[in-house]
Amino acid sequence: MARPKKRFQQLIEEIDRTPWGPAEQALVAEAVALAVEVGDERLEYEARMRQTASANMGGATDVMLNSFAWCLAHHDADPQRFPADLDNGGADLMWQFKWMASSLRSSPAFSQEQIAAVLDDMEAHYRAAGLGLSGVLTARFEDAWDAGRMDDAEALRVQLEATPRDDHSHCDACGRSQVAGFYADTDRDDEAIQLVEEMIEGGFSCGEEPEHALSRALLPYLRAGRPAEAKTAHLRSYRLAKDNPDNLRIVANNIVFAAITGNEARALAMVEKHIAWLAHDGLNVDAHFAALAALAVALDRVTAAGHGDTPVRGADAPSLVPFFGEHDGPWSATDLAAAAWSAAERIGAAFDERDGTRGHARSLDRMRALATEQYDVPIRSDAFVAPTPSAAPVDADGWFERAMQLAQFGAEHETLDALPRALAVEEPDKRAQLLSMRLGILIALDRAEEALQLLPERIAALRAAGREEQAALEERLELATFGLNTPETTAALEEAISDAASASLPAWSRGDLAISRAALHLQAGEADAALDLAEVAARSFAEAEDVRLSNTTTLLAISAVLSKGDLEPAITLLDGFLAQEDLSIGHRAQALQIRARVRGGTDNYVEGATDADEVCRLLAELGATRALGDAHLLAGALWEDAEEPEKAVSRYRLASRIAGEAGGDSTGVDFRLARAMLRVGDAEEAAELFGDVLQREENAEVAAGSRAMTASMLARALGAAGEFGQAVGAHGYASELFGQAEEHADQAMSMTEQAKILARFDEQEDAIGLLEAAAEIVRRAPDAVGALTEVLHSLGQAYGGRGDERAFALFDEVAALAQQHEAEWLLADVTDSRGRALAELGRIDEAVAAALTAADGFAALGDLGSAGSSELFAGRVLAGNDRSADAVPVYRSAIEHAAGHPPLLQVAALELGNVFESLGRHGEAAEIRSHLES
C-alpha cells in the first residue's frame, strides 16, 4: 500500500507545478484513478478537487460538474475529513461553487429551477461557513445578465459594487473583465474601456485574462474611434487565446472584430482554424451560440467581399453535423453562413424558452445589426487568393491550349488536372502531344509503372496521326524519351542516336532523341554534353518547324549554361529569348522565372522581383494555382532582399493562402511573412504569426535548431510589440532549444537579449547571472566573433554599470577582437562603454578621455549621432564634477555633431544652457535657448 500512496503524492506535487493543459489533465486523471484503485476517499478528494479546477480550465464541463458534486457531497457529510480548502494554493470548494451555476446556465438542458437551486445552495453554504456574499452576488449577477434579465443584472451589479470584497470575490482581473463585458453589452462603451485599461495598466491577469477583457473592449474601441487601440487589443487577445478550446467565446469576439474591420480573409482563416472547437465541450452550449453567431457574421462579410463561393475548410467534419446538418461536399462561405445563423437561432430559442426572456434573441439582433458597421483597421496576416483573370476554357480545344501552356511552364500538377478535359480533342496529333506530356510528368513524379501502362495509348495516337516512325521508335525505346533515367534507358538512347542518321529518321524524331539525352546529361551535371546535344535538337526541331520544342530546347540549353555558373551568358540568352514577340505564355513565364532567380543571384533584386511579379501575372492568367504560390514566394523573397519588405508582405500573404487552400504546408512561407511584417513594423501581427509557426513546428517535431530560430524571432517580435514579459520567456525558450541543438553562439545571444530586457526593468542580478552564463557558453564557439563580442561587451557594460572592475578585462578583450577584425565602429563603441564604466568608479579624467576618443572614432566613420552621444556623456561628467568651464567646448562639439539628430540636439543645447547659467554666462544661456526654440 505504501508504494501507490507514494506515487499518488508524487502525482499531486507534479500536478501542482504543471501548467493547465493536456499534460496536467493526464496527471489529474491518473491521480483520480490511483486513488480509486487504492480505495482511499481522502486521497480521492484531493485528486477530485484538482480535477474540478482542471476541467474548468480545460472546458470539460461534464467532468467538472461530476467531480464537484462528488466533492461537495463528501464535504457536507464530513467537513473535517473533507475540508473546503486543501491549502494547496488552488481554488477551494466554495470558490468552485461559482463555476457551477455558470456551467448549468451554459446549457439549456438544465432548467431555471436547477440553476436557482444551485445559487441558493451556494448562498446557504457561504452563510454557513461565515463567508462574505461577494462571490454569491457575482454568480447571481452573471445568471441574470446571461438570461437577459438586464434590469436585475444592473441592480445586482450596483449591489455587488457596494459589497465589501473578500477572499471569494472575483480577482481584480476577472471582476473588471466581467463588468466591462456587461457595460459593452449595455452600450456603455466608455466605461467598458476604462475598466479594461485599468486592468491592463495595473498588470492584472488570471486564467483567461487579460485576453477575455481585451476581446470585450474591441467593439467599444472601434465605436469610440480608437482603431489603433482596437487592433492592439485584438492581436494580443487572440494571440493569448488561440491555443485553448475553452476560449471559444474569446476567439468568437476576435472573429467578429476581423470581419467588420475589412479583414475578411483573416476572419475566414480564423473560422477555419477554430470551427472544430464547436465540438470540444458538449455542455457549453452558450459558447456554441456565441461562436455560431460570430461565424455567421464573418462568413456574411466574406460573401459580401465577393468570396462567397470559397470553401470553408474543416466545416464538413462529421463532428459538426449536429450544428450545421448534413451537406453534400464542402461548405461554401455563403451556405455555411446561413447554416450558422440557423443553428444560432435554434440554440438561442432553446435558451430563451428556458429563461422566459428574449435575452439570446436580443444578442442575435445585436449581431445582425453589425451588418451596418464597417471600420478600416488593416491587418495583413492573411489574404484571399486573387481570382484568375482569364475564364476557364469552354471546350476541349481550349483545354488543349491551356494544358500546353501549363506544360511549357513546367506546372506539372496543374497540367495533370487539365489533361482529362483536353484529351477530349478529336485530332490524333493533339492527343499524341497531350499523352506525351502526361508520360513525362508521370516519370517526373516517380510514377513509372503508371506511365508504362499509358505508353500503348500514346503509340496508338501517333499511328493514328500518321507518325509511324516515331511510334516504332517509342515502341522500341519504351520510356527512354520521356525522362526515365536508368542505365538501360541511357544506353538505348545512345544507340538510337548513333543509328538515327542511317535509319533516316524524321527530323522531329532526331530532335526528340537528342533533347531526351541532353536532359539526362543535365541531370548528371554534364553541362557540356547537354549543350552539344541541345544544339543537335535545336537544328532538328528547326528543320521540323516545331517552334514549341525549339523554344523548349533553348530553355534546356540556358539551364545547362547556368549549371556551369556562366551567369552573364545565360542572362544574354534569356534576354534574347524573351525578346521574341510570339513566345508562348508558358515559355515566357518559365524564362522570366529563370531570369528572376539569376538576377537575384547576382544581387539585382529589384529587376528579379519585377520579373517574378510578371510570372505571377502570367500564371494567374493560366490558372496555375500551385505554381502561382511558388511564384509569389519567389517574388516575396526577392522584394525582401531588395529591402522592400512592404512589397514582400503582400506576396508572402498570397503564397501562404495558396499553400493553405491547396492543402499544403505553409509553415515556411508564414515564417517569411512574419519576418517581413516585423521589418515593416507590424510587430504584433508578426508575433502572432511566429507563434503559429512555432506551434506547428512543435507539433511536427521539427529539429530543435529550427524551432529555436522561430522562438528567437517570436521573442524579437514580442519585444518590439512591448510585450516584454512574454519576450523574456520566448528568449529563454529559444536559448534552451539552441542549447539542445548545440548552437552555442545563438544560445548565448538569446540569453543576452533576455538579459537586456531584465536589465531594462531593473532586474540587474538576474540579468548579470544570465550574461555570465552566456559568456561561458559563447566561448565554446570562438569563431563566432560577432556573438562573442556582443556577449562579452554586454557583460562588461553590466559590470561597468555597477562599478565592477571586472568590466575592463572584458572591454580589453572586445577591443582586441575589434582591432583584429578591423571592426572600427565596435572599437569606438567599446571605448565609449569603457568611459562610462570609468565614470562609475569616479575616474573622471580617464572617463572623459575615453568618451572623447570614442567620439573621434564614431565621427571618423561618419556616425555623427553616436559621436555626439559620446560627447554629451563627457560633457555631463565634467559638468557634474564642478568642471563646467571644461564642459562647454565638449557640449558645443556635441551640438555640432547632433545637427542631424533633433532629440540629441535638443538635450545637448538645453544642458549647455544650464551650464552657462551655472557659470553666470546668462547671455550665452539665453542665446543657446533661443537657438533651441528656433
Side-chain angles (χ1 to χ4, degrees):
M1 184 66 69
R3 183 168 295 175
K5 288 188 176 181
K6 182 177 180 181
R7 172 57 184 156
F8 180 86
Q9 194 56 44
Q10 290 173 341
L11 282 169
I12 292 298
E13 291 172 2
E14 195 170 351
I15 289 166
D16 290 346
R17 63 173 180 263
T18 302
W20 306 115
E24 173 265 346
Q25 291 162 10
L27 291 169
V28 169
E30 184 180 349
V32 171
L34 184 57
V36 171
E37 180 184 335
V38 170
D40 188 324
E41 289 192 331
R42 181 61 176 81
L43 297 184
E44 186 176 351
Y45 185 78
E46 289 189 34
R48 288 194 180 278
M49 283 284 285
R50 289 167 172 84
Q51 186 178 55
T52 304
S54 175
N56 176 64
M57 293 303 298
T61 303
D62 54 344
V63 174
M64 180 182 68
L65 291 171
N66 291 331
S67 181
F68 176 80
W70 189 96
C71 291
L72 183 65
H74 282 70
H75 167 75
D76 287 348
D78 190 347
Q80 297 301 316
R81 188 179 179 203
F82 304 103
D85 191 352
L86 294 177
D87 292 324
N88 68 322
D92 69 18
L93 192 63
M94 295 302 105
W95 184 283
Q96 292 177 356
F97 235 128
K98 296 197 293 184
W99 305 335
M100 297 308 117
S102 175
S103 297
L104 296 186
R105 162 144 299 287
S106 294
S107 172
F110 300 103
S111 69
Q112 188 63 41
E113 291 73 22
Q114 287 174 299
I115 298 167
V118 168
L119 289 169
D120 291 343
D121 192 26
M122 177 182 180
E123 182 167 346
H125 275 84
Y126 270 52
R127 290 186 182 280
L131 303 176
L133 295 183
S134 174
V136 176
L137 287 170
T138 298
R140 292 192 182 281
F141 162 68
E142 289 175 342
D143 176 61
W145 174 22
D146 197 61
R149 303 192 307 272
M150 305 306 280
D151 290 342
D152 290 348
E154 175 62 15
L156 284 162
R157 184 197 66 78
V158 172
Q159 185 180 355
L160 180 60
E161 195 173 78
T163 300
R165 291 178 54 78
D166 56 57
D167 290 343
H168 289 80
S169 300
H170 269 7
C171 69
D172 285 323
C174 293
R176 282 179 168 81
S177 177
Q178 182 189 58
V179 177
F182 181 67
Y183 281 153
D185 197 28
T186 51
D187 300 319
R188 288 177 277 184
D189 290 343
D190 290 343
E191 293 168 272
I193 291 171
Q194 181 179 346
L195 278 178
V196 173
E197 290 185 342
E198 285 177 3
M199 175 180 164
I200 300 301
E201 289 166 8
F204 303 129
S205 63
C206 192
E208 60 177 28
E209 301 297 348
E211 51 266 39
H212 200 172
L214 289 167
S215 77
R216 286 165 157 165
L218 295 175
L219 290 177
Y221 269 134
L222 291 173
R223 290 165 179 160
R226 298 172 64 182
E229 291 92 336
K231 178 179 175 179
T232 297
H234 161 65
L235 291 169
R236 185 179 182 190
S237 171
Y238 181 62
R239 185 172 68 250
L240 294 173
K242 65 184 176 62
D243 296 323
N244 183 357
D246 196 39
N247 292 334
L248 184 57
R249 284 178 175 274
I250 302 173
V251 168
N253 292 340
N254 281 283
I255 288 173
V256 169
F257 171 87
I260 67 173
T261 52
N263 298 291
E264 296 89 356
R266 177 177 174 83
L268 177 58
M270 293 167 72
V271 168
E272 291 175 335
K273 182 173 183 177
H274 300 288
I275 194 168
W277 286 10
L278 285 167
H280 169 67
D281 184 353
L283 288 179
N284 196 358
V285 183
D286 209 17
H288 301 162
F289 170 81
L292 288 163
L295 263 61
V297 168
L299 296 172
D300 276 350
R301 290 301 179 103
V302 170
T303 299
H307 299 276
D309 292 335
T310 302
V312 182
R313 291 171 293 178
D316 54 354
S319 60
L320 299 180
V321 170
F323 297 96
F324 305 123
E326 297 287 348
H327 190 265
D328 185 18
W331 284 93
S332 69
T334 300
D335 290 345
L336 189 62
W341 281 122
S342 177
E345 288 165 357
R346 182 178 69 253
I347 292 172
F351 274 110
D352 286 347
E353 181 179 359
R354 193 262 316 264
D355 297 330
T357 69
R358 63 179 314 275
H360 283 70
R362 171 184 172 275
S363 294
L364 278 182
D365 290 344
R366 290 172 67 85
M367 294 294 281
R368 290 188 184 280
L370 292 174
T372 63
E373 296 190 39
Q374 179 65 46
Y375 306 90
D376 185 22
V377 187
I379 299 174
R380 301 181 300 172
S381 59
D382 215 312
F384 288 115
V385 176
T388 305
S390 61
V394 296
D395 56 24
D397 285 325
W399 279 107
F400 170 81
E401 289 301 325
R402 172 68 61 86
M404 293 289 287
Q405 299 288 357
L406 290 169
Q408 287 165 34
F409 173 75
E412 296 169 341
H413 295 281
E414 290 92 334
T415 305
L416 282 181
D417 291 341
L419 280 172
R421 284 164 288 193
L423 281 165
V425 293
E426 295 180 359
E427 298 92 329
D429 190 58
K430 287 185 176 180
R431 283 184 54 80
Q433 291 182 61
L434 294 171
L435 289 166
S436 175
M437 291 175 188
R438 174 174 278 177
L439 285 164
I441 293 171
L442 290 175
I443 294 298
L445 297 177
D446 293 325
R447 293 158 63 180
E449 290 186 9
E450 190 177 341
L452 193 60
Q453 293 175 357
L454 182 66
L455 184 60
E457 189 177 345
R458 154 76 175 174
I459 293 169
L462 285 170
R463 288 197 165 111
R467 299 175 62 186
E468 178 60 39
E469 296 92 339
Q470 184 67 22
L473 182 66
E474 293 182 12
E475 201 165 37
R476 186 172 79 253
L477 298 179
E478 293 189 332
L479 298 175
T481 59
F482 298 101
L484 186 63
N485 191 358
T486 67
E488 292 77 17
T489 55
T490 299
L493 280 174
E494 295 279 7
E495 182 180 353
I497 291 170
S498 298
D499 295 344
S502 60
S504 301
L505 280 178
W508 194 96
S509 296
R510 296 197 306 274
D512 189 36
L513 290 170
I515 196 172
S516 299
R517 184 67 182 97
L520 295 181
H521 277 307
L522 189 58
Q523 286 181 34
E526 300 161 351
D528 289 329
L531 284 169
D532 290 341
L533 280 170
E535 186 176 348
V536 173
R539 288 197 304 267
S540 299
F541 289 133
E543 182 182 340
E545 298 182 348
D546 190 326
V547 175
R548 175 178 69 87
L549 282 174
S550 291
N551 287 335
T552 299
T553 303
T554 301
L555 286 172
L556 184 145
I558 290 170
S559 296
V561 172
L562 285 171
S563 73
K564 297 173 64 176
D566 297 336
L567 300 186
E568 290 304 323
I571 284 287
T572 301
L573 288 170
L574 282 165
D575 290 345
F577 184 75
L578 287 164
Q580 299 178 66
E581 292 184 2
D582 59 347
L583 200 61
S584 71
I585 293 175
H587 278 142
R588 184 173 297 280
Q590 175 74 324
L592 283 167
Q593 181 162 280
I594 294 171
R595 191 169 72 177
R597 295 184 186 280
V598 175
R599 284 176 161 174
T602 55
D603 299 338
N604 295 308
Y605 300 120
V606 172
E607 295 88 343
T610 303
D611 278 348
D613 280 346
E614 178 63 8
V615 174
C616 293
R617 187 188 70 79
L618 294 173
L619 292 179
E621 186 176 330
L622 291 177
T625 305
R626 184 179 302 196
L628 180 61
D630 293 337
H632 278 300
L633 180 59
L634 174 61
L638 289 166
W639 281 121
E640 193 174 6
D641 288 339
E643 302 298 330
E644 297 258 16
E646 190 75 47
K647 292 180 178 178
V649 165
S650 61
R651 277 68 172 179
Y652 285 147
R653 278 193 312 168
L654 288 168
S656 175
R657 186 69 191 181
I658 290 170
E661 290 187 349
D665 184 4
S666 63
T667 302
V669 67
D670 282 343
F671 179 90
R672 289 172 175 265
L673 173 57
R675 185 177 63 193
M677 284 179 167
L678 183 57
R679 290 184 66 186
V680 299
D682 293 338
E684 292 157 321
E685 295 168 60
E688 176 187 298
L689 197 50
F690 278 128
D692 280 345
V693 170
L694 182 59
Q695 185 63 56
R696 280 179 255 164
E697 290 180 339
E698 297 281 2
N699 293 340
E701 298 182 352
V702 169
S706 179
R707 284 182 286 139
M709 185 59 68
T710 304
S712 180
M713 293 299 295
L714 171 60
R716 284 180 54 189
L718 289 167
E723 300 268 358
F724 297 111
Q726 291 189 61
V728 166
H731 277 305
Y733 184 49
S735 70
E736 289 177 20
L737 291 171
F738 280 129
Q740 291 175 26
E742 297 186 354
E743 296 179 10
H744 304 304
D746 289 322
Q747 181 184 10
M749 286 299 295
S750 289
M751 296 169 74
T752 300
E753 293 302 320
Q754 193 178 10
K756 287 178 179 178
I757 297 174
L758 291 173
R760 179 174 180 174
F761 291 94
D762 294 324
E763 300 287 345
Q764 301 296 341
E765 292 295 334
D766 289 341
I768 288 177
L770 273 170
L771 288 170
E772 288 172 339
E776 290 182 17
I777 291 168
V778 79
R779 291 190 187 281
R780 301 176 200 165
D783 293 337
V785 177
L788 180 63
T789 55
E790 174 67 19
V791 174
L792 298 183
H793 192 182
S794 296
L795 178 56
Q797 288 172 322
Y799 283 155
R802 302 176 60 170
D804 189 327
E805 295 275 0
R806 288 179 292 175
F808 299 111
L810 293 169
F811 293 149
D812 288 342
E813 188 173 353
V814 173
L817 287 168
Q819 290 170 330
Q820 178 184 345
H821 294 277
E822 299 181 354
E824 299 298 325
W825 192 94
L826 174 59
L827 182 59
D829 194 33
V830 76
T831 303
D832 178 89
S833 298
R834 184 188 301 276
R836 294 171 192 268
L838 288 165
E840 285 291 329
L841 291 166
R843 294 158 62 176
I844 304 307
D845 290 337
E846 294 173 85
V848 171
L852 294 180
T853 300
D856 290 341
F858 286 130
L861 295 169
D863 186 352
L864 300 184
S866 295
S869 179
S870 293
E871 289 167 331
L872 177 62
F873 171 72
R876 287 172 172 172
V877 171
L878 290 168
N881 286 275
D882 299 325
R883 294 170 61 179
S884 294
D886 293 336
V888 170
V890 178
Y891 269 111
R892 287 195 183 281
S893 183
I895 289 170
E896 181 181 342
H897 285 138
H901 304 271
L904 178 61
L905 177 62
Q906 185 176 24
V907 171
L910 183 63
E911 291 187 15
L912 178 55
N914 294 338
V915 169
F916 279 138
E917 286 286 0
S918 70
L919 292 170
R921 296 158 65 174
H922 304 297
E924 290 171 282
E927 180 184 354
I928 195 69
R929 287 170 179 157
S930 65
H931 175 68
L932 179 63
E933 291 172 2
S934 65

